[in-house]
């Protein structure tokens, strides 16, 4: 799936590190199937969120991808593997549970506390511009935000150039 040069460039830019084993993928989980370019855009947003977070990668991070506002699923294996090169504690969202105003996000198997990143869908604003709606690292309870990230592609690489809060929960 991820064969475009934009993602290949992102793969080369991410430093290699030891990876923790992936949580088993839930066979019933929906995999968000997206064009490779959209996955490269989402990867740029994940990188932006992770670099801006005071939490870093100190806990497991559950990644959920929205194909549309109402259709969501796990990231593709290729997208998750690319993100895990930089953040080994990242897992597919089907390995997680909880969240919402009255419950913390945690891993299903171990019940360990976790964070969630919920991003998408991608909206293209031309060949070299896009927008993605998503949140920040969210642990559950109140205090999360819905954010619109604006991206541009320069030299084949997508990067977030601005963000604005749409809603605070």
């Amino acid at each position: 799936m991820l064969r475009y040069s934009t993602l290949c460039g992102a793969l080369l830019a991410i430093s290699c590190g030891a990876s923790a084993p992936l949580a088993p993928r839930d066979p019933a989980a929906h995999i968000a199937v997206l064009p490779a370019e959209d996955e490269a855009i989402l990867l740029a947003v994940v990188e932006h969120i992770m670099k801006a977070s005071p939490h870093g990668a100190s806990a497991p991070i559950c990644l959920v991808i929205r194909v549309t506002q109402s259709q969501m699923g796990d990231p593709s294996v290729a997208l998750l593997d690319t993100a895990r090169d930089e953040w080994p504690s990242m897992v597919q969202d089907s390995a997680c549970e909880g969240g919402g105003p009255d419950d913390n996000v945690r891993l299903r198997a171990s019940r360990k506390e976790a964070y969630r990143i919920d991003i998408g869908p991608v909206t293209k604003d031309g060949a070299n511009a896009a927008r993605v709606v998503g949140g920040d690292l969210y642990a559950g309870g109140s205090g999360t935000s819905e954010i619109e990230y604006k991206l541009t592609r320069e030299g084949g690489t997508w990067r977030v150039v601005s963000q604005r809060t749409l809603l605070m929960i």
Side-chain angles (χ1 to χ4, degrees):
M1 255 180 121
L2 299 173
R3 291 184 176 42
Y4 287 102
S5 62
T6 54
L7 190 57
C8 291
L11 285 168
L12 293 172
I14 295 174
S15 64
C16 294
S19 294
L22 270 175
R25 185 175 288 280
D26 178 351
H30 173 75
I31 308 276
V33 178
L34 298 168
E37 185 173 54
D38 286 7
E39 289 197 345
I41 292 166
L42 292 174
L43 185 61
V45 174
V46 168
E47 179 178 11
H48 178 80
I49 291 168
M50 292 300 295
K51 286 184 176 181
S53 170
H55 308 294
S58 60
I61 301 139
C62 309
L63 182 59
V64 61
I65 304 297
R66 289 184 182 265
V67 178
T68 66
Q69 282 294 69
S70 60
Q71 180 189 8
M72 61 181 116
D74 281 346
S76 70
V77 172
L79 177 68
L80 185 61
D81 285 350
T82 301
R84 285 173 50 83
D85 284 345
E86 183 75 19
W87 306 284
S89 64
M90 196 162 292
V91 299
Q92 66 275 6
D93 194 61
S94 64
C96 304
E97 63 186 10
D102 300 320
D103 197 10
N104 290 335
V105 178
R106 62 193 165 278
L107 295 178
R108 282 184 202 281
S110 68
R111 312 279 297 156
K112 181 177 181 178
E113 289 197 3
Y115 291 94
R116 178 172 283 129
I117 297 176
D118 176 351
I119 56 173
V122 172
T123 302
K124 302 263 182 55
D125 294 324
N128 296 310
R131 288 175 285 130
V132 173
V133 174
D136 45 14
L137 281 180
Y138 172 69
S142 61
T144 189
S145 300
E146 188 87 348
I147 300 168
E148 179 185 67
Y149 300 93
K150 290 191 177 185
L151 298 92
T152 59
R153 180 170 42 191
E154 297 171 358
T157 301
W158 287 98
R159 67 179 184 89
V160 175
V161 293
S162 68
Q163 68 182 58
R164 70 181 176 107
T165 302
L166 302 175
L167 175 68
M168 293 191 73
I169 302 169

